[in-house]
PDB file of all heavy atoms in Angstrom:
ATOM      1  N   GLN A  27      -0.156   7.286  -8.612  1.00  0.00           N
ATOM      2  CA  GLN A  27       0.832   6.543  -9.377  1.00  0.00           C
ATOM      3  C   GLN A  27       0.949   5.094  -8.925  1.00  0.00           C
ATOM      4  O   GLN A  27       1.135   4.193  -9.739  1.00  0.00           O
ATOM      5  CB  GLN A  27       2.201   7.220  -9.270  1.00  0.00           C
ATOM      6  CG  GLN A  27       3.270   6.523 -10.109  1.00  0.00           C
ATOM      7  CD  GLN A  27       4.529   7.350 -10.243  1.00  0.00           C
ATOM      8  OE1 GLN A  27       4.724   8.341  -9.543  1.00  0.00           O
ATOM      9  NE2 GLN A  27       5.398   6.962 -11.154  1.00  0.00           N
ATOM     10  N   TYR A  28       0.821   4.857  -7.618  1.00  0.00           N
ATOM     11  CA  TYR A  28       1.186   3.534  -7.100  1.00  0.00           C
ATOM     12  C   TYR A  28       0.035   2.706  -6.539  1.00  0.00           C
ATOM     13  O   TYR A  28       0.222   1.514  -6.283  1.00  0.00           O
ATOM     14  CB  TYR A  28       2.244   3.699  -6.004  1.00  0.00           C
ATOM     15  CG  TYR A  28       3.566   4.206  -6.523  1.00  0.00           C
ATOM     16  CD1 TYR A  28       4.239   5.247  -5.895  1.00  0.00           C
ATOM     17  CD2 TYR A  28       4.141   3.639  -7.662  1.00  0.00           C
ATOM     18  CE1 TYR A  28       5.456   5.705  -6.371  1.00  0.00           C
ATOM     19  CE2 TYR A  28       5.359   4.094  -8.153  1.00  0.00           C
ATOM     20  CZ  TYR A  28       6.009   5.127  -7.501  1.00  0.00           C
ATOM     21  OH  TYR A  28       7.210   5.585  -7.984  1.00  0.00           O
ATOM     22  N   LYS A  29      -1.140   3.300  -6.354  1.00  0.00           N
ATOM     23  CA  LYS A  29      -2.202   2.525  -5.714  1.00  0.00           C
ATOM     24  C   LYS A  29      -2.607   1.313  -6.547  1.00  0.00           C
ATOM     25  O   LYS A  29      -2.665   0.186  -6.038  1.00  0.00           O
ATOM     26  CB  LYS A  29      -3.426   3.410  -5.455  1.00  0.00           C
ATOM     27  CG  LYS A  29      -4.557   2.628  -4.772  1.00  0.00           C
ATOM     28  CD  LYS A  29      -5.797   3.470  -4.556  1.00  0.00           C
ATOM     29  CE  LYS A  29      -6.903   2.624  -3.949  1.00  0.00           C
ATOM     30  NZ  LYS A  29      -8.160   3.387  -3.792  1.00  0.00           N
ATOM     31  N   GLU A  30      -2.885   1.514  -7.831  1.00  0.00           N
ATOM     32  CA  GLU A  30      -3.374   0.415  -8.669  1.00  0.00           C
ATOM     33  C   GLU A  30      -2.365  -0.729  -8.777  1.00  0.00           C
ATOM     34  O   GLU A  30      -2.731  -1.894  -8.556  1.00  0.00           O
ATOM     35  CB  GLU A  30      -3.744   0.948 -10.044  1.00  0.00           C
ATOM     36  CG  GLU A  30      -4.413  -0.099 -10.931  1.00  0.00           C
ATOM     37  CD  GLU A  30      -4.906   0.480 -12.245  1.00  0.00           C
ATOM     38  OE1 GLU A  30      -5.136   1.706 -12.309  1.00  0.00           O
ATOM     39  OE2 GLU A  30      -5.051  -0.310 -13.202  1.00  0.00           O
ATOM     40  N   PRO A  31      -1.075  -0.463  -9.113  1.00  0.00           N
ATOM     41  CA  PRO A  31      -0.136  -1.587  -9.173  1.00  0.00           C
ATOM     42  C   PRO A  31       0.087  -2.249  -7.819  1.00  0.00           C
ATOM     43  O   PRO A  31       0.331  -3.461  -7.743  1.00  0.00           O
ATOM     44  CB  PRO A  31       1.158  -0.951  -9.696  1.00  0.00           C
ATOM     45  CG  PRO A  31       1.009   0.509  -9.492  1.00  0.00           C
ATOM     46  CD  PRO A  31      -0.456   0.799  -9.574  1.00  0.00           C
ATOM     47  N   LEU A  32      -0.037  -1.467  -6.742  1.00  0.00           N
ATOM     48  CA  LEU A  32       0.150  -2.047  -5.410  1.00  0.00           C
ATOM     49  C   LEU A  32      -0.996  -2.985  -5.058  1.00  0.00           C
ATOM     50  O   LEU A  32      -0.769  -4.080  -4.517  1.00  0.00           O
ATOM     51  CB  LEU A  32       0.270  -0.925  -4.378  1.00  0.00           C
ATOM     52  CG  LEU A  32       0.860  -1.290  -3.016  1.00  0.00           C
ATOM     53  CD1 LEU A  32       2.235  -1.916  -3.171  1.00  0.00           C
ATOM     54  CD2 LEU A  32       0.944  -0.046  -2.135  1.00  0.00           C
ATOM     55  N   VAL A  33      -2.219  -2.569  -5.367  1.00  0.00           N
ATOM     56  CA  VAL A  33      -3.373  -3.452  -5.130  1.00  0.00           C
ATOM     57  C   VAL A  33      -3.223  -4.736  -5.945  1.00  0.00           C
ATOM     58  O   VAL A  33      -3.491  -5.838  -5.455  1.00  0.00           O
ATOM     59  CB  VAL A  33      -4.692  -2.732  -5.494  1.00  0.00           C
ATOM     60  CG1 VAL A  33      -5.856  -3.727  -5.500  1.00  0.00           C
ATOM     61  CG2 VAL A  33      -4.975  -1.610  -4.508  1.00  0.00           C
ATOM     62  N   HIS A  34      -2.771  -4.591  -7.187  1.00  0.00           N
ATOM     63  CA  HIS A  34      -2.583  -5.765  -8.051  1.00  0.00           C
ATOM     64  C   HIS A  34      -1.576  -6.730  -7.428  1.00  0.00           C
ATOM     65  O   HIS A  34      -1.802  -7.951  -7.373  1.00  0.00           O
ATOM     66  CB  HIS A  34      -2.092  -5.315  -9.426  1.00  0.00           C
ATOM     67  CG  HIS A  34      -1.830  -6.452 -10.379  1.00  0.00           C
ATOM     68  ND1 HIS A  34      -0.584  -7.063 -10.480  1.00  0.00           N
ATOM     69  CD2 HIS A  34      -2.651  -7.097 -11.258  1.00  0.00           C
ATOM     70  CE1 HIS A  34      -0.656  -8.022 -11.377  1.00  0.00           C
ATOM     71  NE2 HIS A  34      -1.894  -8.063 -11.866  1.00  0.00           N
ATOM     72  N   ASP A  35      -0.450  -6.205  -6.921  1.00  0.00           N
ATOM     73  CA  ASP A  35       0.564  -7.070  -6.324  1.00  0.00           C
ATOM     74  C   ASP A  35       0.076  -7.689  -5.016  1.00  0.00           C
ATOM     75  O   ASP A  35       0.397  -8.850  -4.718  1.00  0.00           O
ATOM     76  CB  ASP A  35       1.847  -6.278  -6.071  1.00  0.00           C
ATOM     77  CG  ASP A  35       2.632  -6.023  -7.346  1.00  0.00           C
ATOM     78  OD1 ASP A  35       2.172  -6.461  -8.419  1.00  0.00           O
ATOM     79  OD2 ASP A  35       3.693  -5.366  -7.281  1.00  0.00           O
ATOM     80  N   MET A  36      -0.683  -6.934  -4.224  1.00  0.00           N
ATOM     81  CA  MET A  36      -1.154  -7.432  -2.936  1.00  0.00           C
ATOM     82  C   MET A  36      -2.189  -8.546  -3.089  1.00  0.00           C
ATOM     83  O   MET A  36      -2.393  -9.332  -2.173  1.00  0.00           O
ATOM     84  CB  MET A  36      -1.749  -6.291  -2.116  1.00  0.00           C
ATOM     85  CG  MET A  36      -0.724  -5.400  -1.437  1.00  0.00           C
ATOM     86  SD  MET A  36       0.328  -6.284  -0.250  1.00  0.00           S
ATOM     87  CE  MET A  36       1.842  -6.413  -1.203  1.00  0.00           C
ATOM     88  N   GLN A  37      -2.860  -8.617  -4.245  1.00  0.00           N
ATOM     89  CA  GLN A  37      -3.849  -9.671  -4.442  1.00  0.00           C
ATOM     90  C   GLN A  37      -3.207 -11.050  -4.418  1.00  0.00           C
ATOM     91  O   GLN A  37      -3.873 -12.046  -4.152  1.00  0.00           O
ATOM     92  CB  GLN A  37      -4.606  -9.438  -5.753  1.00  0.00           C
ATOM     93  CG  GLN A  37      -5.590  -8.282  -5.669  1.00  0.00           C
ATOM     94  CD  GLN A  37      -6.322  -8.017  -6.969  1.00  0.00           C
ATOM     95  OE1 GLN A  37      -6.047  -8.640  -7.983  1.00  0.00           O
ATOM     96  NE2 GLN A  37      -7.255  -7.071  -6.938  1.00  0.00           N
ATOM     97  N   GLY A  38      -1.904 -11.100  -4.681  1.00  0.00           N
ATOM     98  CA  GLY A  38      -1.194 -12.372  -4.594  1.00  0.00           C
ATOM     99  C   GLY A  38      -0.962 -12.820  -3.164  1.00  0.00           C
ATOM    100  O   GLY A  38      -0.615 -13.975  -2.915  1.00  0.00           O
ATOM    101  N   HIS A  39      -1.132 -11.901  -2.211  1.00  0.00           N
ATOM    102  CA  HIS A  39      -0.920 -12.226  -0.799  1.00  0.00           C
ATOM    103  C   HIS A  39      -2.218 -12.227  -0.003  1.00  0.00           C
ATOM    104  O   HIS A  39      -2.238 -12.681   1.144  1.00  0.00           O
ATOM    105  CB  HIS A  39       0.038 -11.207  -0.162  1.00  0.00           C
ATOM    106  CG  HIS A  39       1.346 -11.088  -0.857  1.00  0.00           C
ATOM    107  ND1 HIS A  39       2.370 -12.001  -0.687  1.00  0.00           N
ATOM    108  CD2 HIS A  39       1.807 -10.170  -1.746  1.00  0.00           C
ATOM    109  CE1 HIS A  39       3.402 -11.641  -1.436  1.00  0.00           C
ATOM    110  NE2 HIS A  39       3.090 -10.531  -2.085  1.00  0.00           N
ATOM    111  N   ALA A  40      -3.300 -11.695  -0.594  1.00  0.00           N
ATOM    112  CA  ALA A  40      -4.560 -11.551   0.125  1.00  0.00           C
ATOM    113  C   ALA A  40      -5.513 -12.689  -0.181  1.00  0.00           C
ATOM    114  O   ALA A  40      -5.329 -13.445  -1.132  1.00  0.00           O
ATOM    115  CB  ALA A  40      -5.213 -10.218  -0.257  1.00  0.00           C
ATOM    116  N   ARG A  41      -6.557 -12.788   0.642  1.00  0.00           N
ATOM    117  CA  ARG A  41      -7.564 -13.826   0.430  1.00  0.00           C
ATOM    118  C   ARG A  41      -8.667 -13.375  -0.514  1.00  0.00           C
ATOM    119  O   ARG A  41      -9.399 -14.196  -1.049  1.00  0.00           O
ATOM    120  CB  ARG A  41      -8.160 -14.229   1.790  1.00  0.00           C
ATOM    121  CG  ARG A  41      -7.191 -15.004   2.661  1.00  0.00           C
ATOM    122  CD  ARG A  41      -7.761 -15.300   4.027  1.00  0.00           C
ATOM    123  NE  ARG A  41      -7.914 -14.087   4.820  1.00  0.00           N
ATOM    124  CZ  ARG A  41      -8.254 -14.094   6.104  1.00  0.00           C
ATOM    125  NH1 ARG A  41      -8.507 -15.242   6.712  1.00  0.00           N
ATOM    126  NH2 ARG A  41      -8.356 -12.977   6.771  1.00  0.00           N
ATOM    127  N   ASN A  42      -8.798 -12.065  -0.710  1.00  0.00           N
ATOM    128  CA  ASN A  42      -9.791 -11.547  -1.644  1.00  0.00           C
ATOM    129  C   ASN A  42      -9.406 -10.123  -2.032  1.00  0.00           C
ATOM    130  O   ASN A  42      -8.485  -9.530  -1.455  1.00  0.00           O
ATOM    131  CB  ASN A  42     -11.207 -11.588  -1.031  1.00  0.00           C
ATOM    132  CG  ASN A  42     -11.271 -10.902   0.318  1.00  0.00           C
ATOM    133  OD1 ASN A  42     -10.920  -9.730   0.435  1.00  0.00           O
ATOM    134  ND2 ASN A  42     -11.707 -11.641   1.340  1.00  0.00           N
ATOM    135  N   ALA A  43     -10.125  -9.571  -3.003  1.00  0.00           N
ATOM    136  CA  ALA A  43      -9.787  -8.248  -3.526  1.00  0.00           C
ATOM    137  C   ALA A  43      -9.994  -7.155  -2.489  1.00  0.00           C
ATOM    138  O   ALA A  43      -9.214  -6.196  -2.409  1.00  0.00           O
ATOM    139  CB  ALA A  43     -10.631  -7.945  -4.775  1.00  0.00           C
ATOM    140  N   ASP A  44     -11.053  -7.287  -1.660  1.00  0.00           N
ATOM    141  CA  ASP A  44     -11.300  -6.286  -0.627  1.00  0.00           C
ATOM    142  C   ASP A  44     -10.154  -6.238   0.372  1.00  0.00           C
ATOM    143  O   ASP A  44      -9.736  -5.163   0.818  1.00  0.00           O
ATOM    144  CB  ASP A  44     -12.606  -6.580   0.117  1.00  0.00           C
ATOM    145  CG  ASP A  44     -13.837  -6.164  -0.676  1.00  0.00           C
ATOM    146  OD1 ASP A  44     -13.725  -5.191  -1.446  1.00  0.00           O
ATOM    147  OD2 ASP A  44     -14.880  -6.808  -0.532  1.00  0.00           O
ATOM    148  N   GLU A  45      -9.654  -7.404   0.737  1.00  0.00           N
ATOM    149  CA  GLU A  45      -8.552  -7.465   1.686  1.00  0.00           C
ATOM    150  C   GLU A  45      -7.305  -6.790   1.110  1.00  0.00           C
ATOM    151  O   GLU A  45      -6.602  -6.055   1.811  1.00  0.00           O
ATOM    152  CB  GLU A  45      -8.237  -8.921   2.040  1.00  0.00           C
ATOM    153  CG  GLU A  45      -7.208  -9.068   3.147  1.00  0.00           C
ATOM    154  CD  GLU A  45      -6.949 -10.514   3.502  1.00  0.00           C
ATOM    155  OE1 GLU A  45      -6.286 -11.209   2.719  1.00  0.00           O
ATOM    156  OE2 GLU A  45      -7.428 -10.947   4.565  1.00  0.00           O
ATOM    157  N   ALA A  46      -7.032  -7.020  -0.167  1.00  0.00           N
ATOM    158  CA  ALA A  46      -5.876  -6.390  -0.819  1.00  0.00           C
ATOM    159  C   ALA A  46      -6.027  -4.876  -0.846  1.00  0.00           C
ATOM    160  O   ALA A  46      -5.088  -4.134  -0.531  1.00  0.00           O
ATOM    161  CB  ALA A  46      -5.717  -6.933  -2.236  1.00  0.00           C
ATOM    162  N   GLU A  47      -7.227  -4.404  -1.202  1.00  0.00           N
ATOM    163  CA  GLU A  47      -7.443  -2.954  -1.271  1.00  0.00           C
ATOM    164  C   GLU A  47      -7.329  -2.309   0.102  1.00  0.00           C
ATOM    165  O   GLU A  47      -6.754  -1.239   0.246  1.00  0.00           O
ATOM    166  CB  GLU A  47      -8.815  -2.660  -1.880  1.00  0.00           C
ATOM    167  CG  GLU A  47      -9.066  -1.166  -2.067  1.00  0.00           C
ATOM    168  CD  GLU A  47     -10.384  -0.871  -2.753  1.00  0.00           C
ATOM    169  OE1 GLU A  47     -10.896  -1.772  -3.462  1.00  0.00           O
ATOM    170  OE2 GLU A  47     -10.892   0.238  -2.573  1.00  0.00           O
ATOM    171  N   ASP A  48      -7.876  -2.979   1.124  1.00  0.00           N
ATOM    172  CA  ASP A  48      -7.799  -2.414   2.466  1.00  0.00           C
ATOM    173  C   ASP A  48      -6.364  -2.412   2.992  1.00  0.00           C
ATOM    174  O   ASP A  48      -5.957  -1.494   3.701  1.00  0.00           O
ATOM    175  CB  ASP A  48      -8.704  -3.188   3.423  1.00  0.00           C
ATOM    176  CG  ASP A  48     -10.179  -2.910   3.170  1.00  0.00           C
ATOM    177  OD1 ASP A  48     -10.481  -1.866   2.559  1.00  0.00           O
ATOM    178  OD2 ASP A  48     -11.022  -3.727   3.567  1.00  0.00           O
ATOM    179  N   ALA A  49      -5.594  -3.437   2.654  1.00  0.00           N
ATOM    180  CA  ALA A  49      -4.192  -3.470   3.066  1.00  0.00           C
ATOM    181  C   ALA A  49      -3.420  -2.320   2.440  1.00  0.00           C
ATOM    182  O   ALA A  49      -2.599  -1.661   3.088  1.00  0.00           O
ATOM    183  CB  ALA A  49      -3.560  -4.807   2.673  1.00  0.00           C
ATOM    184  N   VAL A  50      -3.701  -2.053   1.172  1.00  0.00           N
ATOM    185  CA  VAL A  50      -3.017  -0.960   0.469  1.00  0.00           C
ATOM    186  C   VAL A  50      -3.436   0.388   1.051  1.00  0.00           C
ATOM    187  O   VAL A  50      -2.596   1.273   1.259  1.00  0.00           O
ATOM    188  CB  VAL A  50      -3.311  -1.016  -1.042  1.00  0.00           C
ATOM    189  CG1 VAL A  50      -2.831   0.245  -1.741  1.00  0.00           C
ATOM    190  CG2 VAL A  50      -2.639  -2.246  -1.649  1.00  0.00           C
ATOM    191  N   SER A  51      -4.715   0.558   1.325  1.00  0.00           N
ATOM    192  CA  SER A  51      -5.181   1.817   1.904  1.00  0.00           C
ATOM    193  C   SER A  51      -4.548   2.054   3.267  1.00  0.00           C
ATOM    194  O   SER A  51      -4.118   3.171   3.582  1.00  0.00           O
ATOM    195  CB  SER A  51      -6.705   1.800   2.033  1.00  0.00           C
ATOM    196  OG  SER A  51      -7.310   1.694   0.764  1.00  0.00           O
ATOM    197  N   ALA A  52      -4.477   0.991   4.080  1.00  0.00           N
ATOM    198  CA  ALA A  52      -3.822   1.120   5.381  1.00  0.00           C
ATOM    199  C   ALA A  52      -2.340   1.430   5.213  1.00  0.00           C
ATOM    200  O   ALA A  52      -1.755   2.196   5.987  1.00  0.00           O
ATOM    201  CB  ALA A  52      -4.005  -0.168   6.185  1.00  0.00           C
ATOM    202  N   ALA A  53      -1.719   0.847   4.181  1.00  0.00           N
ATOM    203  CA  ALA A  53      -0.297   1.100   3.936  1.00  0.00           C
ATOM    204  C   ALA A  53      -0.055   2.557   3.562  1.00  0.00           C
ATOM    205  O   ALA A  53       0.925   3.170   4.006  1.00  0.00           O
ATOM    206  CB  ALA A  53       0.211   0.171   2.838  1.00  0.00           C
ATOM    207  N   PHE A  54      -0.936   3.130   2.734  1.00  0.00           N
ATOM    208  CA  PHE A  54      -0.778   4.542   2.382  1.00  0.00           C
ATOM    209  C   PHE A  54      -0.958   5.432   3.608  1.00  0.00           C
ATOM    210  O   PHE A  54      -0.258   6.435   3.768  1.00  0.00           O
ATOM    211  CB  PHE A  54      -1.766   4.942   1.289  1.00  0.00           C
ATOM    212  CG  PHE A  54      -1.254   4.716  -0.100  1.00  0.00           C
ATOM    213  CD1 PHE A  54      -1.776   3.724  -0.909  1.00  0.00           C
ATOM    214  CD2 PHE A  54      -0.220   5.496  -0.597  1.00  0.00           C
ATOM    215  CE1 PHE A  54      -1.286   3.510  -2.195  1.00  0.00           C
ATOM    216  CE2 PHE A  54       0.278   5.291  -1.882  1.00  0.00           C
ATOM    217  CZ  PHE A  54      -0.259   4.300  -2.685  1.00  0.00           C
ATOM    218  N   LEU A  55      -1.892   5.081   4.480  1.00  0.00           N
ATOM    219  CA  LEU A  55      -2.071   5.850   5.696  1.00  0.00           C
ATOM    220  C   LEU A  55      -0.820   5.774   6.562  1.00  0.00           C
ATOM    221  O   LEU A  55      -0.327   6.791   7.073  1.00  0.00           O
ATOM    222  CB  LEU A  55      -3.280   5.330   6.471  1.00  0.00           C
ATOM    223  CG  LEU A  55      -3.564   5.997   7.817  1.00  0.00           C
ATOM    224  CD1 LEU A  55      -3.757   7.499   7.643  1.00  0.00           C
ATOM    225  CD2 LEU A  55      -4.783   5.373   8.477  1.00  0.00           C
ATOM    226  N   THR A  56      -0.276   4.571   6.724  1.00  0.00           N
ATOM    227  CA  THR A  56       0.950   4.399   7.501  1.00  0.00           C
ATOM    228  C   THR A  56       2.106   5.148   6.857  1.00  0.00           C
ATOM    229  O   THR A  56       2.905   5.796   7.544  1.00  0.00           O
ATOM    230  CB  THR A  56       1.311   2.898   7.616  1.00  0.00           C
ATOM    231  OG1 THR A  56       0.235   2.212   8.265  1.00  0.00           O
ATOM    232  CG2 THR A  56       2.588   2.695   8.410  1.00  0.00           C
ATOM    233  N   ALA A  57       2.197   5.076   5.531  1.00  0.00           N
ATOM    234  CA  ALA A  57       3.269   5.774   4.821  1.00  0.00           C
ATOM    235  C   ALA A  57       3.178   7.283   5.032  1.00  0.00           C
ATOM    236  O   ALA A  57       4.201   7.952   5.231  1.00  0.00           O
ATOM    237  CB  ALA A  57       3.210   5.445   3.332  1.00  0.00           C
ATOM    238  N   PHE A  58       1.953   7.817   5.000  1.00  0.00           N
ATOM    239  CA  PHE A  58       1.787   9.255   5.221  1.00  0.00           C
ATOM    240  C   PHE A  58       2.225   9.638   6.629  1.00  0.00           C
ATOM    241  O   PHE A  58       2.881  10.663   6.834  1.00  0.00           O
ATOM    242  CB  PHE A  58       0.326   9.645   4.989  1.00  0.00           C
ATOM    243  CG  PHE A  58       0.076  11.118   5.110  1.00  0.00           C
ATOM    244  CD1 PHE A  58       0.452  11.981   4.093  1.00  0.00           C
ATOM    245  CD2 PHE A  58      -0.532  11.648   6.239  1.00  0.00           C
ATOM    246  CE1 PHE A  58       0.238  13.352   4.195  1.00  0.00           C
ATOM    247  CE2 PHE A  58      -0.752  13.004   6.348  1.00  0.00           C
ATOM    248  CZ  PHE A  58      -0.363  13.856   5.322  1.00  0.00           C
ATOM    249  N   GLN A  59       1.888   8.802   7.604  1.00  0.00           N
ATOM    250  CA  GLN A  59       2.258   9.087   8.986  1.00  0.00           C
ATOM    251  C   GLN A  59       3.769   8.968   9.219  1.00  0.00           C
ATOM    252  O   GLN A  59       4.313   9.619  10.104  1.00  0.00           O
ATOM    253  CB  GLN A  59       1.508   8.133   9.924  1.00  0.00           C
ATOM    254  CG  GLN A  59       0.002   8.357   9.941  1.00  0.00           C
ATOM    255  CD  GLN A  59      -0.752   7.266  10.658  1.00  0.00           C
ATOM    256  OE1 GLN A  59      -0.269   6.135  10.791  1.00  0.00           O
ATOM    257  NE2 GLN A  59      -1.948   7.578  11.129  1.00  0.00           N
ATOM    258  N   LYS A  60       4.443   8.150   8.412  1.00  0.00           N
ATOM    259  CA  LYS A  60       5.878   7.922   8.586  1.00  0.00           C
ATOM    260  C   LYS A  60       6.694   8.495   7.428  1.00  0.00           C
ATOM    261  O   LYS A  60       7.814   8.044   7.165  1.00  0.00           O
ATOM    262  CB  LYS A  60       6.153   6.418   8.705  1.00  0.00           C
ATOM    263  CG  LYS A  60       5.476   5.757   9.911  1.00  0.00           C
ATOM    264  CD  LYS A  60       5.804   4.276   9.986  1.00  0.00           C
ATOM    265  CE  LYS A  60       5.189   3.639  11.219  1.00  0.00           C
ATOM    266  NZ  LYS A  60       5.500   2.178  11.300  1.00  0.00           N
ATOM    267  N   LEU A  61       6.147   9.501   6.763  1.00  0.00           N
ATOM    268  CA  LEU A  61       6.767  10.006   5.546  1.00  0.00           C
ATOM    269  C   LEU A  61       8.180  10.528   5.776  1.00  0.00           C
ATOM    270  O   LEU A  61       9.029  10.465   4.886  1.00  0.00           O
ATOM    271  CB  LEU A  61       5.884  11.108   4.951  1.00  0.00           C
ATOM    272  CG  LEU A  61       6.014  11.390   3.455  1.00  0.00           C
ATOM    273  CD1 LEU A  61       5.860  10.120   2.627  1.00  0.00           C
ATOM    274  CD2 LEU A  61       4.977  12.421   3.029  1.00  0.00           C
ATOM    275  N   ALA A  62       8.446  11.027   6.965  1.00  0.00           N
ATOM    276  CA  ALA A  62       9.784  11.543   7.268  1.00  0.00           C
ATOM    277  C   ALA A  62      10.833  10.435   7.225  1.00  0.00           C
ATOM    278  O   ALA A  62      12.034  10.712   7.082  1.00  0.00           O
ATOM    279  CB  ALA A  62       9.795  12.216   8.635  1.00  0.00           C
ATOM    280  N   ASN A  63      10.396   9.180   7.333  1.00  0.00           N
ATOM    281  CA  ASN A  63      11.333   8.053   7.300  1.00  0.00           C
ATOM    282  C   ASN A  63      11.762   7.672   5.891  1.00  0.00           C
ATOM    283  O   ASN A  63      12.718   6.908   5.718  1.00  0.00           O
ATOM    284  CB  ASN A  63      10.714   6.817   7.972  1.00  0.00           C
ATOM    285  CG  ASN A  63      10.440   7.037   9.441  1.00  0.00           C
ATOM    286  OD1 ASN A  63      11.052   7.899  10.067  1.00  0.00           O
ATOM    287  ND2 ASN A  63       9.528   6.266  10.006  1.00  0.00           N
ATOM    288  N   PHE A  64      11.044   8.188   4.883  1.00  0.00           N
ATOM    289  CA  PHE A  64      11.408   7.855   3.499  1.00  0.00           C
ATOM    290  C   PHE A  64      12.532   8.776   3.041  1.00  0.00           C
ATOM    291  O   PHE A  64      12.348   9.981   2.906  1.00  0.00           O
ATOM    292  CB  PHE A  64      10.203   8.005   2.570  1.00  0.00           C
ATOM    293  CG  PHE A  64      10.546   7.761   1.115  1.00  0.00           C
ATOM    294  CD1 PHE A  64      10.934   6.500   0.690  1.00  0.00           C
ATOM    295  CD2 PHE A  64      10.501   8.793   0.189  1.00  0.00           C
ATOM    296  CE1 PHE A  64      11.264   6.271  -0.640  1.00  0.00           C
ATOM    297  CE2 PHE A  64      10.824   8.581  -1.131  1.00  0.00           C
ATOM    298  CZ  PHE A  64      11.213   7.319  -1.548  1.00  0.00           C
ATOM    299  N   ARG A  65      13.695   8.198   2.814  1.00  0.00           N
ATOM    300  CA  ARG A  65      14.879   8.989   2.461  1.00  0.00           C
ATOM    301  C   ARG A  65      15.492   8.548   1.129  1.00  0.00           C
ATOM    302  O   ARG A  65      16.623   8.886   0.815  1.00  0.00           O
ATOM    303  CB  ARG A  65      15.919   8.912   3.572  1.00  0.00           C
ATOM    304  CG  ARG A  65      15.365   9.355   4.924  1.00  0.00           C
ATOM    305  CD  ARG A  65      16.426   9.392   5.994  1.00  0.00           C
ATOM    306  NE  ARG A  65      15.841   9.661   7.289  1.00  0.00           N
ATOM    307  CZ  ARG A  65      15.494  10.870   7.742  1.00  0.00           C
ATOM    308  NH1 ARG A  65      15.685  11.918   6.952  1.00  0.00           N
ATOM    309  NH2 ARG A  65      14.979  11.037   8.940  1.00  0.00           N
ATOM    310  N   GLY A  66      14.741   7.757   0.364  1.00  0.00           N
ATOM    311  CA  GLY A  66      15.200   7.402  -0.965  1.00  0.00           C
ATOM    312  C   GLY A  66      16.159   6.236  -1.031  1.00  0.00           C
ATOM    313  O   GLY A  66      16.818   6.033  -2.048  1.00  0.00           O
ATOM    314  N   GLN A  67      16.241   5.437   0.042  1.00  0.00           N
ATOM    315  CA  GLN A  67      17.105   4.258  -0.018  1.00  0.00           C
ATOM    316  C   GLN A  67      16.606   3.281  -1.071  1.00  0.00           C
ATOM    317  O   GLN A  67      17.364   2.483  -1.608  1.00  0.00           O
ATOM    318  CB  GLN A  67      17.159   3.552   1.349  1.00  0.00           C
ATOM    319  CG  GLN A  67      17.639   4.417   2.492  1.00  0.00           C
ATOM    320  CD  GLN A  67      16.493   5.081   3.243  1.00  0.00           C
ATOM    321  OE1 GLN A  67      15.466   5.404   2.645  1.00  0.00           O
ATOM    322  NE2 GLN A  67      16.671   5.289   4.533  1.00  0.00           N
TER     323      GLN A  67
END
């Protein structure tokens, strides 16, 4: 649901498309590791 729009938004902060995609992939990995911290705020 969220990977494609997230990559699109990150391209505004990245130097290239690969950097944006890798940042998003790392973010999903971090999110999975910290999933217990997501409480719907």
